[in-house]
Amino acid sequence: MAPALLAAVLLTAGCAGRDDAKSASESPGSTSATRHGYVEGATEAAEQQSRLLLGDPGTGDTRVLDLSTGNAHETARKTGLTGLTTDGRFGYFHGADGVQVLDSGAWTVDHGDHVHYYRAKIRDVGTLPGGDGGDGTNIRGDAGVTVATDADGRAAVHPRAELEKGALGTPARLPGTYEGAVVPYAEHLIALTRDGDGPAKIVVLDRSGKRVAAPEAACEEPRGDAVTRRGVVLGCADGALLVHEEDGTFTADRIPYGEDVPKAERATEFRQRPGGSTLTAPAGKEAVWVLDVTERAWTRMETGPVVAANTAGEGSPLVVLESDGALHGYDIATGEETAVTEPLLKDVSTALSSNAVAPVIEIDRSRAYLNDPAGKRVFEIDYNDGLRVARTFDLDVRPSLMVETGR
């Protein structure tokens, strides 16, 4: 049976039991015909509907590259474009006037024992206000809310249901100010607060901003965060804190480097397969940190000059773009280099020295994606097949900014 057909059969079977149980519990006169997993205005698919959101800060041009069809869709030009982030469905284009929100029209709903894949129309939602939106505003979201934390630490919670309808809705302002991003997790919000000159401390808030817990943990010089299946990881001067929830109780575990690490070599910006429990971060200019959240362990990979890095975890290689313009694969367990491509990007070092936005590596369960701004293209990489270039997407814009949605 073909993989796509098999996935459709399994998806239908996985939902059928729930639908039958629901039907049996309804009264004979019930007129409900809404099927399990139904989303108004969207089409359900048997496979993941991945899309790449792309932006060119020089011109403001943006595109959505549909990885199922290979077609690039033109979207509205974004003025003053400085950055791009995502929560898996929505793209957040950061600029001087605020953060412009784009619904990529591709997302996944995970029910635990099965998943639903959806595709819908691409549409602009609006602009979240706030000056210095490029580097100053952090956006984090989950299935319930999207939280925008500005450069001054003030946070606003936007209802996800409103964004899904194409509207910004009315945000709820959280009391107080916070260090870094306020992160939605386990139907709560994880935040860092500071009292005077002391270290930042973890607080757990409900969705209205009321403090409900404060695990005994402090974080010196917080930088970087990531959500994993094991909990929320927060980068600190001595390593990381893992905040996790079990049976309604929130705890924080420290994951130290185990050695003194110079400030310039600390992990401050994590990249991962979405939801994955293996994180990567540059360790200065010549190495990469790999954090295995499950094992609570850091590994420093000596790679050579690093431009970008990522991994899918779970036995997959560490994929590193180095200053030679080639992708290098490393066995995380041994540190051995296992694969290298021909140079895919030209003049990477020159581009970086001119303060250009660095290329990134987006990664999912089967493929990695590398943007080539100078070449106006994106490479699709099969990282489990010796970093083979599976497809090359030629574009009419410089894709200096890139994120993947639909995951």
Side-chain angles (χ1 to χ4, degrees), residues 15 79 83 97 139 165 183 195 215 226 263 274 373 403:
C15 297
T79 58
D97 297 328
I139 306 291
K165 295 176 183 177
V183 182
D195 184 12
K263 188 171 184 177
V403 295

Side-chain angles (χ1 to χ4, degrees), residues 49-70:
Q49 302 298 296
S50 296
R51 292 174 177 177
L52 296 178
L53 275 57
L54 308 166
D56 180 356
T59 64
D61 289 329
T62 61
R63 298 289 185 271
V64 178
L65 176 61
D66 190 325
L67 295 172
S68 298
T69 65

Side-chain angles (χ1 to χ4, degrees), residues 362-369 380-383 388 390:
E362 288 287 295
I363 206 160
D364 57 34
R365 290 187 177 277
S366 62
R367 293 290 190 267
Y369 297 92
E380 180 182 74
I381 306 297
D382 185 346
Y383 54 80
R388 176 178 60 86

Side-chain angles (χ1 to χ4, degrees), residues 47-124:
E47 297 178 320
Q48 182 173 294
Q49 302 298 296
S50 296
R51 292 174 177 177
L52 296 178
L53 275 57
L54 308 166
D56 180 356
T59 64
D61 289 329
T62 61
R63 298 289 185 271
V64 178
L65 176 61
D66 190 325
L67 295 172
S68 298
T69 65
N71 296 327
H73 303 269
E74 183 175 352
T75 52
R77 181 169 292 180
K78 309 293 191 292
T79 58
L81 186 59
T82 58
L84 174 60
T85 56
T86 186
D87 57 15
R89 171 175 176 175
F90 294 92
Y92 302 97
F93 291 86
H94 299 242
D97 297 328
V99 180
Q100 299 178 62
V101 185
L102 178 73
D103 187 346
S104 73
W107 68 96
T108 297
V109 177
D110 189 346
H111 286 293
D113 59 342
H114 67 284
V115 296
H116 294 271
Y117 305 112
Y118 294 103
R119 60 187 298 124
K121 291 182 178 179
I122 302 165
R123 59 181 175 181
D124 284 291

Side-chain angles (χ1 to χ4, degrees), residues 238-240 253-259 291 296-298:
D238 62 349
D253 296 336
R254 189 170 300 280
I255 309 176
Y257 289 121
E259 60 183 272
L291 173 57
R296 312 288 204 272
W298 293 92

Side-chain angles (χ1 to χ4, degrees), residues 44-352:
E44 188 166 1
E47 297 178 320
Q48 182 173 294
Q49 302 298 296
S50 296
R51 292 174 177 177
L52 296 178
L53 275 57
L54 308 166
D56 180 356
T59 64
D61 289 329
T62 61
R63 298 289 185 271
V64 178
L65 176 61
D66 190 325
L67 295 172
S68 298
T69 65
N71 296 327
H73 303 269
E74 183 175 352
T75 52
R77 181 169 292 180
K78 309 293 191 292
T79 58
L81 186 59
T82 58
L84 174 60
T85 56
T86 186
D87 57 15
R89 171 175 176 175
F90 294 92
Y92 302 97
F93 291 86
H94 299 242
D97 297 328
V99 180
Q100 299 178 62
V101 185
L102 178 73
D103 187 346
S104 73
W107 68 96
T108 297
V109 177
D110 189 346
H111 286 293
D113 59 342
H114 67 284
V115 296
H116 294 271
Y117 305 112
Y118 294 103
R119 60 187 298 124
K121 291 182 178 179
I122 302 165
R123 59 181 175 181
D124 284 291
V125 176
T127 301
L128 303 177
D132 194 22
D135 297 323
T137 300
N138 290 299
I139 306 291
R140 302 292 185 269
D142 66 3
V145 297
T146 294
V147 184
T149 311
D150 69 18
D152 295 323
R154 296 167 299 192
V157 181
H158 295 261
R160 176 67 172 247
E162 294 299 316
L163 296 183
E164 292 171 352
K165 295 176 183 177
L168 294 179
T170 302
R173 301 286 176 179
L174 298 183
T177 59
Y178 304 93
E179 296 276 326
V182 175
V183 182
Y185 167 69
E187 300 182 2
H188 289 74
L189 305 173
I190 307 301
L192 288 166
T193 61
R194 189 183 300 276
D195 184 12
D197 295 330
K201 295 183 178 180
I202 295 172
V203 294
V204 180
L205 313 173
D206 66 16
R207 294 291 164 103
S208 68
K210 179 182 177 181
R211 185 178 299 193
V212 297
E216 290 294 329
C219 183
E220 294 276 4
E221 302 179 37
R223 287 283 303 275
D225 58 88
V227 178
T228 76
R229 292 188 178 274
R230 304 288 178 178
V232 177
V233 174
L234 303 172
C236 308
D238 62 349
L241 287 175
L242 173 64
V243 183
H244 53 103
E245 179 270 343
E246 185 174 358
D247 298 329
T249 299
F250 289 84
T251 57
D253 296 336
R254 189 170 300 280
I255 309 176
Y257 289 121
E259 60 183 272
D260 290 332
V261 176
K263 188 171 184 177
E265 297 180 8
R266 296 173 187 166
T268 59
E269 184 177 356
F270 298 106
R271 298 193 68 85
Q272 76 206 99
R273 174 177 55 80
S277 296
T278 305
L279 310 182
T280 68
K285 297 181 179 180
E286 301 284 334
V288 175
W289 286 113
V290 177
L291 173 57
D292 186 328
V293 179
T294 303
E295 298 296 328
R296 312 288 204 272
W298 293 92
T299 301
R300 181 185 171 98
M301 306 288 293
E302 302 295 338
T303 60
V306 178
V307 178
N310 210 335
T311 183
E314 300 177 356
S316 298
L318 171 68
V319 182
V320 183
L321 173 66
E322 300 189 14
S323 60
D324 58 2
L327 287 177
H328 299 249
Y330 294 88
D331 185 312
I332 295 175
T334 66
E336 178 185 357
E337 184 177 79
T338 58
V340 62
T341 69
E342 64 179 3
L344 300 177
L345 275 61
K346 297 181 180 179
D347 303 323
V348 176
S349 298
T350 302
L352 293 180

